[in-house]
Amino acid sequence: MNADLAAIQDDALAAIGAAADSTALEQAKIDFLGKKGRLTGASALMKTLPKEEKPAFGQGLNAARQAITAALEEKQTALQDAADLASVAGIDVTLPARGLPIGGLHPLTRIKDDAIQILRRMGFALAEGPEIEDEFHCFDALNTPADHPARNEKDTFYFDSGKLLRTHTSSVQVRTMEGQRPPVRIIAPGSAYRRDEIDATHLSVFNQLEGLFVAENVSLADLKGTLIYFYQELFGADTELQFRPHFFPFTEPSFEIDIKLHVPGREPKWIEVAGCGIVDPAVFEAICKSRGDDVYHPDKVTGFAFGMGLDRLAMIKWGIKDIRLLIENDTRFLSQFA
Ligand code: PHE
């Protein structure tokens, strides 16, 4: 190789070898291979050489460029390896990993899943309906007169169109009967909305689960048997229930269900968990009118219905004191259920 080229290559390899970091290495690259670098400068000599010397000089140039490029790459890798090692210096990489935190189901999801599972075992199928409802499905078909307080603007969220956010999932029961002949055995879990003042036991949206069973000769005994079994499955075989007479426009007779709550160190107390009753014949008549047939005629079928707030059931099950915890997504609260 031409003596000048050999000297340039030697100097380049020495500079690369001496580069302590990537900035120095970049400088070495510029000094030798850059536009104004020494090897680039040497290549300009080409045109001054006699023709017969050109091929050898060209080969020499290539060889020097390749040697320098290879040295640059090798040094770059070595610098990177050293930086990688330095970044884990002092860390014992043989220690077991810390692991990712494990997520868990929200308490509302858990209580809903439990409730659905119990009711499905009893033959109830899941049904759905819209959260934005009309007055017919939410009130009129459910024998709720125009002047009933639940229909008040103060209690219900209305849209300008006259539609509303459903105040209960009973509307799904109406829709199911409109679309399906008896027998019907459904549950409708879903959100319901009321203009409640927000406090420790009220939100303006809550999670409801309603059920409906319509067939020939469905009786109050069926209703009681179903719901006693349900709550004892959910809260334990020793759960005590009481059916307290109440009024709902869409059922007659109607009851509220209380379960007896045992709080350590305190007198047990009854707490309301559901409304229920035997479907009022006026509801069946409205369904017949809407369907245009008489398969739901009150002389042919009877039924029972019930509705409960899942939020309250979760609060009872886990002793949660404030309903707002259920929607705040504070992981200090949620992680207790994971
Ligand atoms: N729809 C009632 C409510 O939201 C609950 C209920 C359902 C009562 C079915 C009786 C029968 O409070």
Side-chain angles (χ1 to χ4, degrees):
M1 190 191 284
N2 176 296
D4 285 345
L5 291 180
I8 292 172
Q9 179 174 326
D10 287 348
D11 290 352
L13 297 189
I16 291 166
D21 56 27
S22 59
T23 317
L25 193 63
E26 188 59 29
Q27 192 55 53
K29 187 175 177 183
I30 294 168
D31 289 348
F32 291 91
L33 302 183
K35 250 196 221 146
K36 295 183 181 149
R38 282 174 60 192
L39 194 67
T40 320
S43 68
L45 289 176
M46 182 76 115
K47 48 183 184 306
T48 69
L49 292 176
K51 202 172 160 205
E52 57 280 10
E53 285 179 27
K54 281 186 181 179
F57 187 76
Q59 276 169 17
L61 264 180
N62 275 340
R65 173 171 290 277
Q66 274 169 20
I68 296 170
T69 307
L72 281 167
E73 279 170 12
E74 200 180 310
K75 182 71 185 202
Q76 176 63 38
T77 309
L79 285 174
Q80 187 60 50
D81 287 350
D84 289 348
L85 265 180
S87 72
V88 292
I91 295 175
D92 183 351
V93 293
T94 64
L95 282 176
R98 221 173 260 140
L100 292 171
I102 297 172
L105 293 178
H106 192 280
L108 274 174
T109 306
R110 284 176 57 180
I111 200 91
K112 182 170 92 179
D113 288 352
D114 287 353
I116 289 174
Q117 209 212 353
I118 297 165
L119 289 157
R120 287 187 66 135
R121 286 209 305 272
M122 287 191 275
F124 285 87
L126 281 172
E128 275 185 339
E131 291 180 25
I132 297 176
E133 259 300 358
D134 50 48
E135 295 199 74
F136 175 76
H137 291 93
C138 202
F139 298 126
D140 296 310
L142 289 161
N143 194 36
T144 308
D147 59 357
H148 191 278
R151 301 182 66 150
N152 200 302
E153 294 248 355
K154 284 215 320 287
D155 293 306
T156 302
F157 293 104
Y158 284 95
F159 294 93
D160 290 341
S161 64
K163 291 215 171 188
L164 49 89
L165 290 175
R166 67 182 179 196
T167 56
H168 49 191
T169 55
S170 307
S171 51
V172 182
Q173 308 177 358
V174 175
R175 289 185 178 275
T176 304
M177 288 190 279
E178 282 179 328
Q180 184 186 320
R181 299 167 69 92
V184 161
R185 189 163 13 177
I186 52 132
I187 45 173
S191 303
Y193 303 83
R194 293 180 193 173
R195 295 181 82 138
D196 278 327
E197 206 64 57
I198 292 173
D199 61 24
T201 53
H202 296 89
L203 291 173
S204 46
V205 53
F206 66 107
N207 295 274
Q208 219 186 16
L209 187 150
E210 294 222 355
L212 173 72
F213 180 26
V214 178
E216 285 174 24
N217 298 321
V218 175
S219 73
L220 192 53
D222 298 317
L223 163 63
K224 290 184 80 172
T226 302
L227 290 172
I228 290 170
Y229 176 79
F230 172 77
Y231 284 107
Q232 292 185 340
E233 282 292 293
L234 195 65
F235 289 129
D238 55 355
T239 304
E240 287 176 78
L241 271 72
Q242 88 187 353
F243 288 72
R244 185 167 34 75
H246 193 74
F247 174 80
F248 293 105
F250 29 88
T251 46
E252 181 60 35
S254 305
F255 303 89
E256 279 191 333
I257 302 175
D258 303 329
I259 66 173
K260 201 177 204 173
L261 202 61
H262 298 271
V263 185
R266 272 204 237 150
E267 278 288 292
K269 78 173 188 212
W270 291 102
I271 172 155
E272 183 239 313
V273 289
C276 64
I278 296 294
V279 179
D280 193 303
V283 173
F284 288 135
E285 272 155 23
I287 299 292
C288 288
K289 213 157 148 204
S290 172
R291 287 177 58 94
D293 66 16
D294 65 354
V295 293
Y296 281 95
H297 194 282
D299 288 346
K300 295 184 178 167
V301 292
T302 50
F304 69 72
F306 57 91
M308 63 188 85
L310 294 170
D311 313 70
R312 180 169 295 179
L313 296 187
M315 290 171 79
I316 292 172
K317 179 148 187 157
W318 289 291
I320 298 165
K321 299 249 158 33
D322 192 322
I323 194 171
R324 290 168 288 199
L325 288 166
L326 292 173
I327 58 163
E328 279 168 356
N329 283 334
D330 185 331
T331 51
R332 290 169 302 179
F333 168 73
L334 294 177
S335 61
Q336 298 174 50
F337 303 89

